[in-house]
Amino acid sequence: MVDSSPASAPAVDALSWASRRGMGALAEKMGMRFVEFSIDRCVATMPVEGNTQPVGLMHGGAYVVLGESLGSMAANLHAGEGRLAVGVDINATHTRSATSGVVTGVCTPVHLGLSITVHEIVVTDDQGRRCSTVRITNHIIDRPTR
């Protein structure tokens, strides 16, 4: 399946593109949902329940999966038709632990180049408190032909 990217399209079209494309099987299992999607800002939510450590805290890896899903999707939107963004670096700093409710990831671009993108994803809890900051770098390549 080849997805065309509406990189210059309005936010509604980009959200439609992202919803059709989906975030992938892992993101679906974790309960992620798109809220907003554009070149300048992507937002998704994820429930804490089902994504916790044995002691009931949101798993740090779950924050990273949310961040990588948003950042990679945003980079692919920027890449445009015939190109593909692939992750080359990710890091996260966890500053708070959500224990219930829903977390929200807000992804904004730091750099949108021809071959490299960098996005920052801030993950907050239901009270708007920052729980994690994720930064992802993607390399943009030509989509391989099959």
Side-chain angles (χ1 to χ4, degrees):
M1 177 172 106
V2 175
D3 292 318
S4 61
S5 170
S8 61
V12 169
D13 293 336
L15 180 58
S16 177
W17 170 81
S19 295
R20 281 192 315 274
R21 185 172 189 200
M23 290 178 115
L26 178 59
E28 289 175 19
K29 284 180 184 178
M30 296 179 78
M32 289 182 209
R33 300 286 178 257
F34 288 116
V35 175
E36 183 181 331
F37 202 84
S38 72
I39 290 289
D40 298 319
R41 180 177 152 100
C42 301
V43 180
T45 61
M46 181 173 65
V48 173
E49 185 176 341
N51 294 310
T52 58
Q53 301 173 336
V55 296
L57 304 175
M58 183 77 161
H59 195 291
Y63 292 129
V64 175
V65 171
L66 177 59
E68 183 162 6
S69 297
L70 277 168
S72 293
M73 287 291 291
N76 275 287
L77 179 65
H78 169 72
E81 189 171 349
R83 306 198 73 210
L84 180 66
V86 293
V88 295
D89 183 65
I90 191 164
N91 67 65
T93 302
H94 310 309
T95 51
R96 179 174 296 278
S97 298
T99 57
S100 64
V102 173
V103 294
T104 301
V106 177
C107 173
T108 55
V110 173
H111 174 76
L112 296 175
L114 294 175
S115 62
I116 293 285
T117 64
V118 179
H119 287 86
E120 179 182 70
I121 302 88
V122 174
V123 183
T124 57
D125 64 13
D126 282 340
Q127 290 77 44
R129 299 176 297 191
R130 187 181 293 228
C131 296
S132 186
T133 304
V134 181
R135 186 182 57 85
I136 183 170
T137 302
N138 281 282
H139 179 59
I140 298 175
I141 60 173
D142 291 332
R143 185 180 291 276
T145 56
R146 293 183 184 183

